[in-house]
Every structure is written in structure tokens, then in C-alpha cells.
Amino acid sequence: MRTVQYVLAFATVLLLGACSPSKPVLHGTDLSMVDWGKDVTLTAHTGARVSTAVYRGKVTVLFFGYTHCPDICAPTLTKLAAVRKALGADADQVQVLFITVDPKHDTPEQLAKFVPKFDPSFIGLTGTPAEIGAVAAEYKVAYAPAPASMSQQGSIGHSGGMLVKDRAGKLRLLFKNEMSVEDMTADVRQLLKV
């Protein structure tokens, strides 16, 4: 009799496990276990001081770059604009923040000419060199002027990828530059459900 009870109990556990919802598959790199990526305050392209905390309730995508970037910055912002378009009615629940790594040249006025061209909802952020350095350190982003012998005058080498926070402001994912719009959109949709 006890054997039958054990078999029934084991079968019940297996059935309950099979019926529980599976963990969603995400395409980006999981960063949910990190303890960095806290809220920061910088100057928006509008001239106002803005904290990333004001975007709680939205999925927030942070991308570090600069307006005169010769290669990855414009294509990445174009890709993020395509993600927002693919989200349709859910696009208003996503905020893209472009954080400059070139505060010397990327003033609020310069960012205002550049960032909204990709999507009017995108926010460009800048600050003093010390502020940008502190924010980059908080988000583990590396950047430095590229040697003149290796690149165009004024180029800045910087980490690639996009950092994604959930609605609670917790860093959750890293999107690599080569990720497709479809995969990024699918991941954002999953985070919007949380």
C-alpha cells in the first residue's frame, strides 16, 4: 500500500512540474544577477536634469555612444527605432536613453540635433566628464579616445551593446549589437509582461 502512495505522490509531483509555466526564453545576455546599473542623473538633450528613476514603469534601454561615431552608434539607434516600431501600441512603455561618452562635444544642443532624428521619444543624456565617467563606471562601460594612428581624428573607442532595465529599474539584459530587431523585440515584450 505504501508503494502505491509513493508512486502516486511522485506522479503528482511530476504532473505539477509539467503544468507549471516554463521560464521564458530570452535572446539577450542575462544580467539579472548583477548588483550594478543603479539609477543615475544626467542632463537631457532638452537641457533638463533627468534621473533614470523617472522611467520606472517602463522598460528602459541604455546605449552608450557619441554623435560623431563613425560606425555602430547610428545603426544601433536605427535598430532601436525599429524595435519601438515593431512593438506597436506597446512602444510607449519603452524608453531609449542614449548616453554620450563624448561630453566635450556632445552638448545638449548637439544631442538635440542627433538623437530625436532616430525616434522623437529617444532621450540623449550628457554631463560633465566626471559625471559621464561615473555613469560609465556604474554600467561597466569602457571608453577612451582612439589613437590618431588607428582612426579618424576625434574617434572614441567604446563598449558596444545595449543595457536593458525592467519596469522596476533592475538591469536585466545585454543586447549585443548583432542581435536582430526581432529578437530584441521579443525580449522587450517578455520584460513588459513582468
Side-chain angles (χ1 to χ4, degrees):
M1 187 64 166
R2 286 195 185 267
T3 304
V4 172
Q5 289 174 331
Y6 289 131
V7 169
L8 287 174
F10 182 70
T12 302
V13 169
L14 286 177
L15 285 174
L16 289 175
C19 293
S20 64
S22 60
K23 189 175 179 182
V25 175
L26 295 171
H27 305 281
T29 304
D30 183 6
L31 297 179
S32 59
M33 301 309 248
V34 304
D35 63 353
W36 44 270
K38 308 275 189 292
D39 287 316
V40 295
T41 300
L42 290 169
T43 302
H45 70 261
T46 60
R49 293 291 284 178
V50 175
S51 169
T52 54
V54 301
Y55 302 111
R56 297 270 171 88
K58 295 185 176 191
V59 169
T60 307
V61 182
L62 297 92
F63 175 57
F64 289 76
Y66 64 110
T67 61
H68 291 95
C69 177
D71 45 24
I72 66 169
C73 296
T76 300
L77 288 169
T78 299
K79 192 180 276 192
L80 288 170
V83 168
R84 274 189 43 87
K85 186 174 181 180
L87 288 168
D90 291 333
D92 288 342
Q93 298 178 56
V94 177
Q95 181 61 60
V96 173
L97 302 176
F98 176 79
I99 302 173
T100 186
V101 293
D102 185 13
K104 180 179 175 183
H105 298 105
D106 287 344
T107 61
E109 296 78 19
Q110 175 63 23
L111 289 169
K113 293 177 195 172
F114 180 75
V115 177
K117 289 191 307 186
F118 297 94
D119 186 293
S121 73
F122 289 6
I123 304 291
L125 295 171
T126 190
T128 66
E131 287 175 324
I132 295 299
V135 170
E138 178 61 33
Y139 284 90
K140 310 301 183 212
V141 171
Y143 67 97
S149 61
M150 294 177 60
S151 65
Q152 296 176 328
Q153 184 77 16
S155 289
I156 297 175
H158 61 91
S159 303
M162 297 143 271
L163 297 159
V164 185
K165 290 183 160 196
D166 64 19
R167 292 177 184 267
K170 171 77 174 107
L171 197 55
R172 293 290 300 276
L173 295 170
L174 168 67
F175 288 165
K176 294 181 180 172
N177 292 336
E178 59 271 12
M179 269 184 74
S180 70
V181 168
E182 294 75 21
D183 286 349
M184 288 193 290
T185 303
D187 282 5
V188 169
R189 285 194 189 282
Q190 287 297 328
L191 291 181
L192 287 173
K193 293 177 184 178
V194 177

